[in-house]
Amino acid sequence: MGSLQRQTSPDSDNDPRYASVTDERKRKRMISNRESARRSRMRKQKQLGDLINEVTVLKNDNAKITEQVDAVTRKYVEMESRNDVLRAQASELTERLRSLNSVLEMVEEISGQALDIPEINPWQVSCPMQPIRASADMFDC
């Protein structure tokens, strides 16, 4: 029986009709594989382009942020410098006030008259701040 089945089933290696069908299938599969590989390369190329664009955007954002940080740092250093000057001026004015108070105390002792020497805290303003009123025509030359 095994020999009967072999005789009735076509042998694709020997039959030219089946060989051409097999060759056609191989050719179609090869074309399909090439097209799939081409699509894959194009997809990877697009992904690479997208990543390059993202890197460019991120570098630009990073540069902007770095500029902002530098600007804020410069302003901070400038403010620190101004604060140092103001602290030095406040210290100098406090020392002058102490010196003037000691002069007034000496005058009081020498003259024998009681002077009203107010206890002045250099950090408190004795009178309320008045707003300064200005108009645009004040600055005309």
Side-chain angles (χ1 to χ4, degrees), residues 36-53:
S36 176
R38 185 186 67 79
R39 285 191 308 267
S40 179
R41 283 190 303 272
M42 288 177 67
R43 197 169 39 250
K44 285 183 180 180
Q45 189 173 9
K46 183 186 179 312
Q47 288 173 342
L48 179 62
D50 291 346
L51 289 173
I52 289 172
N53 289 338

Side-chain angles (χ1 to χ4, degrees), residues 39-102:
R39 285 191 308 267
S40 179
R41 283 190 303 272
M42 288 177 67
R43 197 169 39 250
K44 285 183 180 180
Q45 189 173 9
K46 183 186 179 312
Q47 288 173 342
L48 179 62
D50 291 346
L51 289 173
I52 289 172
N53 289 338
E54 187 177 352
V55 165
T56 302
V57 167
L58 291 173
K59 282 184 177 181
N60 289 339
D61 290 348
N62 194 18
K64 288 177 186 176
I65 291 170
T66 300
E67 288 175 14
Q68 291 172 345
V69 167
D70 290 345
V72 168
T73 301
R74 283 191 300 274
K75 285 181 182 178
Y76 172 79
V77 168
E78 182 182 332
M79 288 298 127
E80 277 294 315
S81 175
R82 287 182 184 178
N83 280 344
D84 289 344
V85 168
L86 290 173
R87 284 185 192 109
Q89 288 174 344
S91 177
E92 181 182 336
L93 291 173
T94 301
E95 191 55 40
R96 284 184 183 178
L97 184 60
R98 285 188 186 126
S99 176
L100 289 173
N101 279 343
S102 72

Side-chain angles (χ1 to χ4, degrees), residues 16 18-19 28-29 31 35 43-45 49 52 64 69 71 75 81 97 118-119 129 132 135 141:
Y18 290 109
K28 284 183 180 179
R29 173 68 21 230
I31 290 171
E35 182 61 26
R43 197 169 39 250
K44 285 183 180 180
Q45 189 173 9
I52 289 172
K64 288 177 186 176
V69 167
K75 285 181 182 178
S81 175
L97 184 60
E119 200 54 45
M129 295 295 286
I132 299 174
S135 63
C141 295

